[in-house]
């Protein structure tokens, strides 16, 4: 009986490490698969975060561009109001300048309408460049308005001076006779 017990114990002792090694080898594969799955999940999370950042950046740029366009439209409308209130400007010049301002406002509103369907950053960048060009034209328009107003004012002053000069000449002629 003692030999039998020793044989069973020795056999069990020899088999136990083999079972243990096989079991740990299976766990190793599982651990490796778990690590790969975690890496894939982390990569997906990073990609999702990256996409969220891009989407937020796109939305922020769209909102900023809309706000800039709205501000320019308000300024153009104030310019139109100033033109119409000016007493020294001819009615035909007021009409011409108001038409130019209306055209600029229309172009800006058209540009603003293009913002909604934009889906990518390169598209919004292109739209921003186009809008900057419109802003340059707006600035040129304002310079043209100011120049036209100055010309009109100078012209009216010249007319007043000429009228006054004619009055003085008639008075001088009357005094001579």
């Amino acid at each position: 009986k003692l030999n039998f017990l020793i044989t069973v114990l020795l056999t069990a002792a020899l088999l136990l490490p083999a079972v243990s090694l096989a079991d740990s080898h299976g766990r190793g594969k599982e651990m490796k698969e778990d690590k790969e799955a975690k890496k894939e999940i982390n990569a997906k999370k990073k990609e999702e975060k990256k996409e969220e950042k891009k989407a937020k950046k796109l939305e922020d740029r769209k909102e900023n561009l809309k706000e800039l366009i709205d501000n320019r439209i308000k300024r153009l409308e104030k310019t139109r109001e100033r033109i119409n209130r000016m007493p020294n400007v001819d009615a035909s010049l007021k009409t011409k300048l108001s038409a130019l301002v209306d055209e600029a406002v229309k172009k800006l509103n058209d540009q603003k309408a293009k913002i909604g369907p934009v889906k990518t950053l390169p598209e919004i960048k292109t739209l921003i460049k186009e809008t900057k060009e419109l802003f340059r034209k707006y600035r040129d328009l304002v310079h043209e308005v100011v120049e036209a107003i100055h010309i009109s004012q100078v012209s009216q002053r010249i007319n007043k001076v000429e009228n006054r000069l004619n009055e003085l000449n008639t008075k001088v002629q009357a005094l001579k006779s």
Side-chain angles (χ1 to χ4, degrees):
K1 282 188 172 185
L2 190 56
N3 277 340
F4 178 71
L5 259 175
I6 292 176
T7 309
V8 169
L9 285 175
L10 283 176
T11 308
L14 289 175
L15 288 177
L16 188 62
V19 169
S20 168
L21 281 176
D23 189 37
S24 69
H25 181 66
R27 281 190 207 145
K29 279 186 178 178
E30 287 176 12
M31 289 177 69
K32 189 175 184 180
E33 290 172 359
D34 286 345
K35 282 183 181 179
E36 288 175 8
K38 285 180 182 179
K39 283 182 183 178
E40 287 178 20
I41 290 171
N42 287 338
K44 285 181 183 178
K45 284 182 182 178
K46 283 182 182 179
E47 192 65 32
E48 287 174 1
K49 284 182 181 179
K50 191 175 180 181
E51 290 300 318
E52 286 176 10
K53 283 182 182 179
K54 279 184 180 180
K56 183 171 177 7
K57 190 174 186 179
L58 178 66
E59 288 303 313
D60 287 346
R61 286 188 177 183
K62 286 169 77 170
E63 288 301 314
N64 287 340
L65 186 57
K66 283 180 184 178
E67 189 176 317
L68 284 172
I69 290 173
D70 285 338
N71 287 339
R72 291 293 173 149
I73 290 172
K74 286 178 186 175
R75 290 174 70 186
L76 280 170
E77 289 172 351
K78 286 181 182 178
T79 302
R80 183 187 320 118
E81 290 172 8
R82 284 187 63 208
I83 290 169
N84 291 330
R85 284 185 301 184
M86 297 194 111
N88 297 336
V89 179
D90 296 336
S92 62
L93 184 59
K94 283 183 183 181
T95 305
K96 177 186 171 194
L97 295 176
S98 290
L100 290 173
V101 170
D102 289 339
E103 183 182 333
V105 168
K106 183 184 178 295
K107 286 181 182 179
L108 286 174
N109 280 326
D110 292 344
Q111 194 72 7
K112 187 177 168 184
K114 292 179 184 179
I115 295 172
V118 171
K119 301 283 186 212
T120 64
L121 284 174
E123 289 175 349
I124 194 72
K125 285 180 181 180
T126 302
L127 203 57
I128 289 170
K129 286 180 184 178
E130 292 172 5
T131 305
K132 282 182 180 181
E133 185 61 33
L134 285 176
F135 286 174
R136 281 188 201 104
K137 289 179 182 178
Y138 157 74
R139 187 176 57 236
D140 294 340
L141 173 66
V142 170
H143 289 294
E144 186 178 331
V145 167
V146 169
E147 184 179 321
I149 291 169
H150 287 163
I151 289 171
S152 176
Q153 288 174 343
V154 167
S155 175
Q156 285 185 347
R157 287 188 180 136
I158 289 173
N159 287 338
K160 284 182 181 180
V161 168
E162 286 176 350
N163 290 339
R164 185 70 177 146
L165 185 62
N166 288 336
E167 289 174 7
L168 290 175
N169 280 336
T170 57
K171 286 183 181 181
V172 167
Q173 292 299 327
L175 289 175
K176 282 186 180 179
S177 36

